[in-house]
Amino acid sequence: MTTNIILLGPPGAGKGTQARRLVEERDLVQLSTGDMLREARTSGTEMGKVVAEVMDKGQLVTDEIVIGLIREKLEDTKAAGFIFDGFPRTLRQADALEDLLSGMGQKIDAVIEMQVDDGALVDRVSGRYTCGNCGEVYHDTTRPSAKEGVCDVCGSTDLRRRADDNAESLKTRLLEYYKKTSPLIGYYYAKQKLRPVDALAEIGKVGHEIAGILGQPVEA
Ligand code: ADP
Ligand code: AMP
């Protein structure tokens, strides 16, 4: 049985953090379009340059580019299921995802709507840093690494802050979220897939609530 989950919420809601927990607990693969695009921007290609400019402004990259990236990953990856993190972000992406999955004989099982107050997001993104080697997500106050400057998971000292994690870019990213992504809440509600969680709660509690929705992990 496959399980495909979407984590839906504004920037800083905790999608990446919860996606990594789910990967640990279940045999699922995280597909983060943000991570894929950050990789693409370092490729030195023409596409990478365009992507970098758009991301730094906090705007959305075109549907064609992100749908193409997801299509490639779905074709290339064998998994018991996928966690879509930061995708879909537009109705067009949502329709494309449904088509791609149905072509594989699969569907979306649950859309976890991570509910937060906008006020909390400035602090969430301005305190965020991640491991450049393994992708572990940290926060200056709510989830600092045990040893300063060293990743708890892989021991790397390559801890980074994102160029777009500043108050100015967050304003644009939030506007993009409300204009283009929040309509997906109604879209998935109508499809009876929407499962809201209180993403303001502490990280472990949010994980618990998500586990309650998804049920026990299936033994391999
Ligand atoms: P998203 O992927 O939705 O943009 P992240 O998972 O990267 O969000 O989380 C944003 C920041 O908030 C990170 O620094 C992370 O450590 C922190 N964070 C995530 N979830 C919580 C939570 N429930 N409570 C407090 N801080 C959190
Ligand atoms: P994230 O890592 O999810 O916060 O995404 C960082 C940035 O990448 C966003 O602000 C967008 O510029 C871009 N991005 C990520 N995912 C998508 C998507 N599904 N559609 C369009 N742009 C995206």
Side-chain angles (χ1 to χ4, degrees), residues 9-18 85 124-125 127-129 137-140 142-143 162 173 199-203 206:
K15 302 180 294 294
T17 300
Q18 296 301 328
D85 160 13
R124 288 264 182 106
V125 302
R128 167 162 54 192
Y129 57 99
V137 186
Y138 296 97
H139 188 278
D140 290 329
T142 62
R143 198 207 167 324
R162 279 168 47 172
R173 284 151 76 196
L200 278 177
E202 166 277 301
I203 293 173
V206 180

Short mmCIF file of all heavy atoms in Angstrom, two decimals, residues 9-18 85 124-125 127-129 137-140 142-143 162 173 199-203 206, ligand 1:
data_model
loop_
_atom_site.label_atom_id
_atom_site.label_comp_id
_atom_site.label_asym_id
_atom_site.label_seq_id
_atom_site.Cartn_x
_atom_site.Cartn_y
_atom_site.Cartn_z
N GLY A 9 1.08 24.64 3.88
CA GLY A 9 1.12 25.71 4.89
C GLY A 9 2.05 26.80 4.41
O GLY A 9 2.85 26.60 3.50
N PRO A 10 1.97 27.98 5.05
CA PRO A 10 2.81 29.12 4.64
C PRO A 10 4.29 28.87 4.92
O PRO A 10 4.63 27.93 5.65
CB PRO A 10 2.28 30.27 5.50
CG PRO A 10 1.64 29.62 6.66
CD PRO A 10 1.12 28.30 6.20
N PRO A 11 5.17 29.72 4.38
CA PRO A 11 6.60 29.55 4.64
C PRO A 11 6.88 29.63 6.14
O PRO A 11 6.39 30.53 6.81
CB PRO A 11 7.24 30.75 3.93
CG PRO A 11 6.14 31.66 3.53
CD PRO A 11 4.88 30.86 3.50
N GLY A 12 7.62 28.65 6.66
CA GLY A 12 7.96 28.65 8.08
C GLY A 12 6.97 27.88 8.94
O GLY A 12 7.15 27.78 10.16
N ALA A 13 5.95 27.30 8.34
CA ALA A 13 4.93 26.58 9.12
C ALA A 13 5.49 25.32 9.78
O ALA A 13 4.92 24.81 10.74
CB ALA A 13 3.74 26.23 8.24
N GLY A 14 6.59 24.80 9.22
CA GLY A 14 7.18 23.59 9.79
C GLY A 14 7.04 22.38 8.88
O GLY A 14 7.21 21.23 9.33
N LYS A 15 6.82 22.60 7.60
CA LYS A 15 6.62 21.50 6.65
C LYS A 15 7.87 20.62 6.55
O LYS A 15 7.80 19.39 6.64
CB LYS A 15 6.25 22.04 5.25
CG LYS A 15 5.00 22.91 5.25
CD LYS A 15 4.65 23.43 3.87
CE LYS A 15 5.66 24.39 3.27
NZ LYS A 15 5.76 25.69 4.00
N GLY A 16 9.00 21.28 6.33
CA GLY A 16 10.26 20.52 6.18
C GLY A 16 10.60 19.75 7.44
O GLY A 16 11.03 18.59 7.38
N THR A 17 10.39 20.39 8.59
CA THR A 17 10.69 19.76 9.87
C THR A 17 9.86 18.48 10.04
O THR A 17 10.38 17.41 10.40
CB THR A 17 10.37 20.75 11.02
OG1 THR A 17 11.18 21.91 10.85
CG2 THR A 17 10.60 20.14 12.38
N GLN A 18 8.57 18.58 9.75
CA GLN A 18 7.70 17.41 9.92
C GLN A 18 7.96 16.36 8.83
O GLN A 18 7.86 15.16 9.09
CB GLN A 18 6.22 17.83 9.94
CG GLN A 18 5.86 18.72 11.13
CD GLN A 18 6.13 18.06 12.49
OE1 GLN A 18 6.02 16.84 12.64
NE2 GLN A 18 6.49 18.87 13.49
N ASP A 85 6.41 18.38 0.00
CA ASP A 85 6.72 19.46 0.93
C ASP A 85 6.93 20.74 0.12
O ASP A 85 7.91 20.85 -0.61
CB ASP A 85 7.98 19.03 1.72
CG ASP A 85 8.72 20.18 2.38
OD1 ASP A 85 8.18 21.29 2.46
OD2 ASP A 85 9.87 19.95 2.82
N ARG A 124 10.00 32.34 13.04
CA ARG A 124 10.36 31.01 12.53
C ARG A 124 11.41 31.11 11.42
O ARG A 124 12.42 30.40 11.46
CB ARG A 124 9.12 30.31 11.95
CG ARG A 124 8.12 29.85 13.02
CD ARG A 124 8.32 28.41 13.39
NE ARG A 124 7.34 27.97 14.36
CZ ARG A 124 6.32 27.17 14.08
NH1 ARG A 124 6.13 26.75 12.85
NH2 ARG A 124 5.49 26.79 15.02
N VAL A 125 11.18 31.98 10.43
CA VAL A 125 12.13 32.00 9.31
C VAL A 125 13.41 32.77 9.64
O VAL A 125 14.47 32.41 9.17
CB VAL A 125 11.52 32.51 7.97
CG1 VAL A 125 10.34 31.71 7.54
CG2 VAL A 125 11.17 33.97 8.03
N GLY A 127 14.95 32.75 12.41
CA GLY A 127 15.82 31.94 13.26
C GLY A 127 16.23 30.62 12.62
O GLY A 127 16.91 29.81 13.23
N ARG A 128 15.80 30.41 11.37
CA ARG A 128 16.05 29.10 10.74
C ARG A 128 17.48 28.96 10.22
O ARG A 128 18.04 29.87 9.64
CB ARG A 128 15.09 28.93 9.56
CG ARG A 128 15.47 27.76 8.65
CD ARG A 128 14.35 27.31 7.76
NE ARG A 128 13.74 28.35 6.95
CZ ARG A 128 12.60 28.19 6.27
NH1 ARG A 128 11.95 27.04 6.32
NH2 ARG A 128 12.10 29.17 5.55
N TYR A 129 18.08 27.79 10.42
CA TYR A 129 19.32 27.42 9.70
C TYR A 129 19.26 25.92 9.44
O TYR A 129 18.55 25.19 10.14
CB TYR A 129 20.58 27.84 10.46
CG TYR A 129 20.76 27.34 11.87
CD1 TYR A 129 21.57 26.23 12.13
CD2 TYR A 129 20.14 27.96 12.95
CE1 TYR A 129 21.77 25.78 13.44
CE2 TYR A 129 20.33 27.51 14.25
CZ TYR A 129 21.14 26.42 14.49
OH TYR A 129 21.32 25.96 15.78
N VAL A 137 16.91 20.55 9.82
CA VAL A 137 16.42 21.92 10.01
C VAL A 137 16.54 22.31 11.48
O VAL A 137 16.08 21.58 12.36
CB VAL A 137 14.94 22.03 9.59
CG1 VAL A 137 14.48 23.49 9.66
CG2 VAL A 137 14.71 21.46 8.20
N TYR A 138 17.14 23.48 11.74
CA TYR A 138 17.32 23.97 13.11
C TYR A 138 16.69 25.35 13.27
O TYR A 138 16.32 26.01 12.29
CB TYR A 138 18.82 24.07 13.43
CG TYR A 138 19.53 22.74 13.43
CD1 TYR A 138 20.23 22.30 12.31
CD2 TYR A 138 19.47 21.91 14.55
CE1 TYR A 138 20.88 21.07 12.31
CE2 TYR A 138 20.12 20.68 14.56
CZ TYR A 138 20.81 20.27 13.44
OH TYR A 138 21.44 19.06 13.43
N HIS A 139 16.62 25.78 14.54
CA HIS A 139 16.15 27.14 14.83
C HIS A 139 16.94 27.68 16.02
O HIS A 139 17.22 26.94 16.97
CB HIS A 139 14.65 27.11 15.15
CG HIS A 139 14.06 28.48 15.28
ND1 HIS A 139 14.14 29.22 16.43
CD2 HIS A 139 13.42 29.26 14.37
CE1 HIS A 139 13.55 30.39 16.23
NE2 HIS A 139 13.11 30.44 15.00
N ASP A 140 17.28 28.97 15.95
CA ASP A 140 18.12 29.58 16.99
C ASP A 140 17.60 29.31 18.40
O ASP A 140 18.38 29.02 19.30
CB ASP A 140 18.21 31.10 16.79
CG ASP A 140 19.01 31.45 15.55
OD1 ASP A 140 19.93 30.69 15.21
OD2 ASP A 140 18.71 32.48 14.90
N THR A 142 14.07 27.63 19.13
CA THR A 142 13.15 26.50 19.35
C THR A 142 13.79 25.13 19.08
O THR A 142 13.33 24.13 19.58
CB THR A 142 11.87 26.63 18.51
OG1 THR A 142 12.21 26.62 17.11
CG2 THR A 142 11.13 27.90 18.82
N ARG A 143 14.84 25.10 18.24
CA ARG A 143 15.50 23.84 17.96
C ARG A 143 16.96 24.04 17.59
O ARG A 143 17.37 23.80 16.44
CB ARG A 143 14.75 23.08 16.85
CG ARG A 143 15.13 21.59 16.84
CD ARG A 143 14.99 20.94 15.50
NE ARG A 143 15.57 19.66 15.28
CZ ARG A 143 16.71 19.18 15.75
NH1 ARG A 143 17.42 19.84 16.63
NH2 ARG A 143 17.15 17.99 15.37
N ARG A 162 19.29 30.68 4.83
CA ARG A 162 18.80 30.88 3.46
C ARG A 162 18.77 32.36 3.10
O ARG A 162 18.42 33.19 3.93
CB ARG A 162 17.40 30.31 3.34
CG ARG A 162 17.41 28.81 3.13
CD ARG A 162 16.05 28.20 3.28
NE ARG A 162 14.98 28.89 2.56
CZ ARG A 162 13.76 28.41 2.45
NH1 ARG A 162 13.45 27.24 2.99
NH2 ARG A 162 12.82 29.07 1.81
N ARG A 173 6.60 36.38 0.11
CA ARG A 173 6.28 34.94 0.12
C ARG A 173 4.90 34.69 0.74
O ARG A 173 4.15 33.84 0.28
CB ARG A 173 7.36 34.16 0.88
CG ARG A 173 8.63 33.99 0.06
CD ARG A 173 9.86 33.89 0.92
NE ARG A 173 9.99 32.62 1.58
CZ ARG A 173 10.81 32.40 2.63
NH1 ARG A 173 11.53 33.40 3.12
NH2 ARG A 173 10.90 31.22 3.16
N ALA A 199 -0.08 23.84 14.00
CA ALA A 199 1.37 23.85 13.77
C ALA A 199 2.08 24.88 14.64
O ALA A 199 3.29 25.07 14.52
CB ALA A 199 1.65 24.10 12.29
N LEU A 200 1.32 25.56 15.54
CA LEU A 200 1.94 26.48 16.50
C LEU A 200 2.47 25.72 17.70
O LEU A 200 3.27 26.24 18.47
CB LEU A 200 0.92 27.51 16.98
CG LEU A 200 0.67 28.71 16.09
CD1 LEU A 200 -0.42 29.58 16.67
CD2 LEU A 200 1.96 29.54 15.91
N ALA A 201 1.99 24.50 17.85
CA ALA A 201 2.42 23.68 18.99
C ALA A 201 3.89 23.31 18.84
O ALA A 201 4.49 23.51 17.78
CB ALA A 201 1.55 22.43 19.07
N GLU A 202 4.43 22.74 19.88
CA GLU A 202 5.85 22.38 19.89
C GLU A 202 6.07 21.22 18.88
O GLU A 202 5.14 20.47 18.57
CB GLU A 202 6.15 22.11 21.37
CG GLU A 202 7.37 21.41 21.82
CD GLU A 202 7.26 19.94 21.76
OE1 GLU A 202 6.37 19.36 22.39
OE2 GLU A 202 8.11 19.39 21.03
N ILE A 203 7.29 21.13 18.32
CA ILE A 203 7.57 20.24 17.18
C ILE A 203 7.08 18.80 17.42
O ILE A 203 6.42 18.21 16.56
CB ILE A 203 9.09 20.25 16.85
CG1 ILE A 203 9.49 21.63 16.31
CG2 ILE A 203 9.45 19.15 15.83
CD1 ILE A 203 10.98 21.83 16.10
N VAL A 206 3.24 18.53 17.26
CA VAL A 206 2.72 18.60 15.89
C VAL A 206 2.90 17.22 15.23
O VAL A 206 2.00 16.69 14.59
CB VAL A 206 3.45 19.68 15.06
CG1 VAL A 206 2.91 19.74 13.64
CG2 VAL A 206 3.34 21.05 15.72
P1 ADP B 1 8.74 25.23 6.24
O1 ADP B 1 9.36 24.01 5.61
O2 ADP B 1 7.25 25.12 6.36
O3 ADP B 1 9.15 26.51 5.59
P2 ADP B 1 10.54 24.61 8.47
O4 ADP B 1 10.25 23.20 8.79
O5 ADP B 1 11.81 24.91 7.74
O6 ADP B 1 9.27 25.31 7.74
O7 ADP B 1 10.52 25.42 9.85
C1 ADP B 1 10.78 26.82 9.90
C2 ADP B 1 11.59 27.13 11.17
O8 ADP B 1 10.75 26.93 12.31
C3 ADP B 1 12.79 26.22 11.38
O9 ADP B 1 13.83 26.99 11.96
C4 ADP B 1 12.29 25.15 12.36
O10 ADP B 1 13.35 24.64 13.19
C5 ADP B 1 11.27 25.92 13.18
N1 ADP B 1 10.09 25.10 13.57
C6 ADP B 1 9.45 24.17 12.82
N2 ADP B 1 8.38 23.68 13.48
C7 ADP B 1 8.34 24.34 14.66
C8 ADP B 1 7.46 24.28 15.80
N3 ADP B 1 6.41 23.46 15.82
N4 ADP B 1 7.72 25.11 16.84
C9 ADP B 1 8.78 25.95 16.82
N5 ADP B 1 9.65 26.05 15.80
C10 ADP B 1 9.43 25.25 14.72
#
